[in-house]
Amino acid sequence: MKKTFLLIAALLMMGSAAFAGGGFDIALGPKVGYQTAKLSYDKADIKSGFANHFTAGIFGRVTIGRLYVQPEVLYFKTTNIFDGHVTGVPSDNLFNLPTGANVNLTLNQMNLQVPVLIGVKILDLDLIALRAQVGPTANFVLKSQTLFDKTYTIDGQNAELENTTTDEHFDAKAISWGLQAGLGIDVWRLTFDVNYNFGLSKVFKNLNDTVLGETFDFSNVDNTKQNLFMVTVGFKLL
């Protein structure tokens, strides 16, 4: 992670130095947006995206002619739901769930995403530019919280948990990798980007190997590649 930030800092310093000499153009500023599994122009869907999957961070851009490099640092929350089945391992220390019980687990995570995008300006006018970009992204999990549904089922019967929150049973030290590709538009100092993140890592493939896995057998951990759209708007301070 330190190497990634050093790379971003080096790119921005190189761009700043070259800009002073007239060879580069550099931009730096904040950006906000949201993540979604499906793009929509509906106002209610966009409002829901900002409310539930808000993303915020900073971006830099070093431009040489029509080509540019754009590193970003983005902070956002993700939510994943897993189906858990209590195995034969005694579970007296985790909610006192009986063997054979079925329960849903919700995993909330705060993430730091670092994409490094390489792009080209398809259209470059005085006040408007159309861009295409692609590049790798690293996703760092900062904090996790596991929440269990208040009810669980066993032998077709419903029952309730006494405690529904736990933090100590999941290892949050995870890094996942992806590839982003998308389009962007610049209007004056405003930037609009729509990127699609192709998940290259099964983010929770080792969930059954954690402490939680000693009690539960999770059935859908193989379907956890993060394939999402990222819609953002930024403002170039420089």
Side-chain angles (χ1 to χ4, degrees):
M1 186 172 180
K2 290 182 179 179
K3 292 182 179 179
T4 303
F5 283 109
L6 288 174
L7 174 61
I8 293 173
L11 288 170
L12 294 178
M13 286 189 292
M14 287 171 58
S16 180
F19 176 69
F24 284 66
D25 181 33
I26 185 171
L28 179 68
K31 65 168 23 186
V32 297
Y34 65 95
Q35 296 191 21
T36 178
K38 183 180 180 181
L39 288 178
S40 173
Y41 297 103
D42 185 77
K43 184 178 179 180
D45 291 338
I46 295 174
K47 185 177 179 180
S48 175
F50 273 102
N52 300 316
H53 304 285
F54 181 74
T55 299
I58 60 173
F59 76 98
R61 187 188 300 166
V62 179
T63 305
I64 312 173
R66 288 182 176 269
L67 300 176
Y68 63 89
V69 177
Q70 181 170 305
E72 303 176 355
V73 179
L74 304 171
Y75 181 75
F76 62 96
K77 176 183 176 181
T78 56
T79 299
N80 292 274
I81 299 176
F82 302 96
D83 302 319
H85 177 76
V86 179
T87 62
V89 178
S91 56
D92 293 340
N93 295 324
L94 186 61
F95 308 131
N96 294 317
L97 284 169
T99 299
N102 296 292
V103 66
N104 289 330
L105 175 149
T106 299
L107 179 59
N108 295 319
Q109 292 184 308
M110 304 311 297
N111 306 270
L112 194 68
Q113 188 179 79
V114 183
V116 179
L117 303 172
I118 299 174
V120 60
K121 291 183 178 180
I122 302 172
L123 177 67
D124 190 8
L125 303 178
D126 289 339
L127 293 178
I128 299 176
L130 175 63
R131 301 175 282 104
Q133 56 202 14
V134 64
T137 179
N139 187 76
F140 303 90
V141 177
L142 302 180
K143 182 180 179 181
S144 306
Q145 182 185 50
T146 51
L147 303 170
F148 287 86
D149 285 357
K150 291 184 178 181
T151 60
Y152 66 91
T153 60
I154 182 169
D155 297 330
Q157 302 295 319
N158 292 331
E160 288 195 4
L161 297 175
E162 296 179 0
N163 180 15
T164 59
T165 305
T166 179
D167 291 308
E168 66 274 18
H169 297 287
F170 183 77
D171 183 5
K173 297 178 181 179
I175 301 176
S176 59
W177 299 94
L179 179 68
Q180 282 194 12
L183 297 173
I185 299 176
D186 295 338
V187 180
W188 185 57
R189 289 180 176 268
L190 291 174
T191 69
F192 302 90
D193 290 272
V194 178
N195 294 320
Y196 188 75
N197 184 85
F198 299 89
L200 301 180
S201 304
K202 293 180 180 179
V203 182
F204 305 106
K205 68 177 181 178
N206 296 322
L207 186 58
N208 282 320
D209 298 328
T210 65
V211 175
L212 282 174
E214 296 178 3
T215 301
F216 297 96
D217 177 26
F218 295 102
S219 60
N220 56 338
V221 293
D222 289 334
N223 301 319
T224 56
K225 290 184 177 180
Q226 293 184 336
N227 298 321
L228 295 168
F229 286 99
M230 179 87 74
V231 181
T232 57
V233 57
F235 184 78
K236 293 185 284 187
L237 298 175
L238 297 177

